[in-house]
Amino acid sequence: MTTRHLRAALLLTAVPLAAATAVAALKAGHWRLCADRHRIELKPRPRRSCPDCGGAGGWWGGGANPEMEACGCWSDRRELRIRLLPVRDPWPDEPPF
C-alpha cells in the first residue's frame, strides 16, 4: 500500500468520524447548525430539561395582547455566524445610469 492510498484510506475514515463528533457536540450543546453559500450559523436551541419553559422556549404573557416571552435558556446565548460570500442585491434601488 502506497502512501497515497494510506492517506486516502485515513481520510475516508476520518471524515465520517468528524461529522459524527460534530453532530454529537451540537446536540449536547443545544445548538442548531444552518449553512448555505452565504453564511454558516450556529443558533441556540431551547433546552428540553429547562425547569422554566420545559423545552418550549418560552411562554405566553397574559393581557389583552399576549406576547411570547423567550426563556433565558436559549435567548441569552449568542448566535455565531461566519460570512462566506457577500449577498448581492439582485435588483438595485437605482439604475446604473
Side-chain angles (χ1 to χ4, degrees):
M1 184 176 264
T2 65
T3 305
R4 189 172 172 183
H5 289 111
L6 183 61
R7 283 184 192 166
L10 287 174
L11 183 63
L12 288 175
T13 57
V15 169
L17 180 63
T21 305
V23 168
L26 288 173
K27 285 184 179 181
H30 302 283
W31 291 96
R32 183 177 70 217
L33 176 69
C34 301
D36 61 13
R37 61 186 241 177
H38 300 291
R39 71 191 70 77
I40 299 172
E41 293 179 338
L42 286 174
K43 297 182 177 183
R45 291 187 344 203
R47 294 195 171 116
R48 285 187 259 158
S49 62
C50 178
D52 296 329
C53 68
W59 48 89
W60 289 97
N65 297 321
E67 292 185 4
M68 177 85 169
E69 294 182 29
C71 183
C73 69
W74 69 274
S75 66
D76 294 340
R77 296 169 64 192
R78 289 184 10 192
E79 288 184 4
L80 304 172
R81 180 176 300 142
I82 300 172
R83 288 184 45 196
L84 301 176
L85 291 174
V87 179
R88 294 188 179 141
D89 189 13
W91 301 102
D93 292 338
E94 299 179 4
F97 49 86

